[in-house]
Amino acid sequence: MRIAYFGPSGTFTEMALAKMESDGVVGPGVERVSASNPPATLELVRRGEADAAVVPIENSVQGSVPPTLDALALGDRLQIVAETELDVAFTIVGRPGVDLADVRTVRAYPHAAAQVQGWIEREMPHAQVEFASSNAAAAEDVASGLADAAVSTGLAGERFGLPVLADGVADVGNARTRFVLVTRPCPPPARTGSDRTAVVLTPDNRPGTLVAALGVFAIRGIDLTFIESRPLRTQFGTYRFYLDCVGHLDDVAVADALRVLHEQMDTRFLGSWPSHHVSASSGSEGPGGSAASENSDRWLADLRAGAGTS
């Protein structure tokens, strides 16, 4: 398999891909293909230049990764089939001969910079933070002479031959980042009883539509584990909503909720897949789906078969 990842080599995302390989989530003989940002990584899958992609989607400190969410909502539909998590603490690497006290410029990926801001202010008070396109790219910038130090990974520091100025750096202990494996539409992985399902909802901009959507889950006893709004970029006050819930497309309650949502508003299915951090309960069967049309039933059937572009 050709699997794209948010690179270049040495990022946490490549480490997440390596973990998926060692855990048997993906088969042996993976060819890794790096891309410059999460949207570009996912676009390689859409164009058929990669079989799958690994991208970060959520961090326990900074929350969601907006470029990933936006890229999943736009263009031909892609599907999440697996996830993994990594403990995230950073390595500060520097130019040879530079000490922490000498650092005046630090390159960092924006999400990383936010997670070590307090540490930098304490340990490198005279340093100016400049943004890099990824954690590994930050180290590459130091190797190229563009900065004195970088907030990066130990792997990237080794690959660019940079000395470590500090290790295990994080403002918040036990920080974790969740990464997802994304493919073109396919039948979801089999139900395990400990699953996560994700959708993107774009309701009409009128009072009560979001409350009604959330109520579809509430009355069926389905636990929502993630909700995020992102602007449609058309005018103020218009948003799409990303929701993760406990359960699987093959759970009666979840399938019925999706069927009703599809009747009410634009609904994009992002996948059902095994998760290590959700309850085995996916709610009661809840109200029946008698109000749904044949169109919604066909939509659900297409999702189970791995078809559909929306």
Side-chain angles (χ1 to χ4, degrees):
M1 292 181 68
R2 285 173 56 87
I3 300 183
Y5 68 93
F6 172 31
S9 182
T11 59
F12 283 110
T13 310
E14 186 184 21
M15 296 179 192
L17 172 53
K19 186 173 186 295
M20 289 182 178
E21 292 179 49
S22 64
D23 290 345
V25 176
V26 296
V30 168
E31 179 184 352
R32 301 179 187 178
V33 181
S34 69
S36 59
N37 54 57
T41 307
L42 294 173
E43 193 59 31
L44 290 176
V45 180
R46 285 195 174 98
R47 296 202 305 259
E49 296 176 25
D51 300 300
V54 177
V55 288
I57 196 167
E58 184 183 14
N59 176 265
S60 62
V61 176
Q62 285 302 108
S64 66
V65 181
T68 296
L69 296 185
D70 290 343
L72 287 170
L74 302 173
D76 290 343
R77 185 174 73 87
L78 295 174
Q79 190 164 320
I80 301 171
V81 296
E83 67 176 37
T84 194
E85 293 182 4
L86 290 181
D87 292 322
V88 174
F90 298 92
T91 299
I92 309 299
V93 296
R95 290 189 293 107
V98 170
D99 295 325
L100 284 178
D102 303 324
V103 173
R104 293 296 180 268
T105 55
V106 180
R107 290 288 170 103
Y109 183 57
H111 254 65
Q115 293 179 66
V116 298
Q117 180 179 353
W119 188 92
I120 290 176
E121 291 173 352
R122 291 192 308 272
E123 304 296 332
M124 296 186 290
H126 303 296
Q128 178 179 347
V129 177
E130 302 170 345
F131 289 152
S133 60
S134 71
N135 293 312
E140 186 175 10
D141 289 344
V142 173
S144 300
L146 300 177
D148 296 326
V151 179
S152 190
T153 68
L155 178 60
E158 291 175 9
R159 290 184 174 173
F160 289 106
L162 301 174
V164 173
L165 304 183
D167 205 5
V169 175
D171 287 346
V172 178
N174 300 317
R176 294 180 70 80
T177 296
R178 183 163 62 99
F179 301 83
V180 290
L181 179 68
V182 182
T183 68
R184 290 182 289 279
C186 62
R191 180 184 182 278
T192 67
S194 182
D195 303 289
R196 186 194 302 267
T197 292
V199 293
V200 183
L201 306 178
T202 309
D204 294 335
N205 188 24
R206 65 175 188 270
T209 53
L210 179 59
V211 171
L214 298 180
V216 169
F217 293 97
I219 63 176
R220 290 165 176 79
I222 300 171
D223 185 19
L224 294 177
T225 58
F226 176 86
I227 180 169
E228 179 86 6
S229 63
R230 292 290 298 157
L232 295 181
R233 303 178 183 177
T234 54
Q235 63 185 47
F236 280 121
T238 59
Y239 297 90
R240 64 173 58 93
F241 298 89
Y242 299 78
L243 287 85
D244 285 9
C245 73
V246 175
H248 191 279
L249 181 64
D250 287 337
D251 292 333
V252 173
V254 172
D256 192 53
L258 297 189
R259 183 187 295 110
V260 172
L261 288 171
H262 184 254
E263 285 290 305
Q264 296 179 352
M265 64 193 67
D266 181 86
T267 303
R268 170 170 283 202
F269 177 69
L270 292 183
S272 290
W273 65 94
S275 174
H276 299 293
H277 296 286
V278 299
S279 166
S281 172
S282 58
S284 64
E285 293 190 6
S290 58
S293 69
E294 292 182 6
N295 178 56
S296 289
D297 288 334
R298 286 195 300 270
W299 178 72
L300 278 176
D302 284 344
L303 295 181
R304 290 190 175 105
T309 59
S310 62

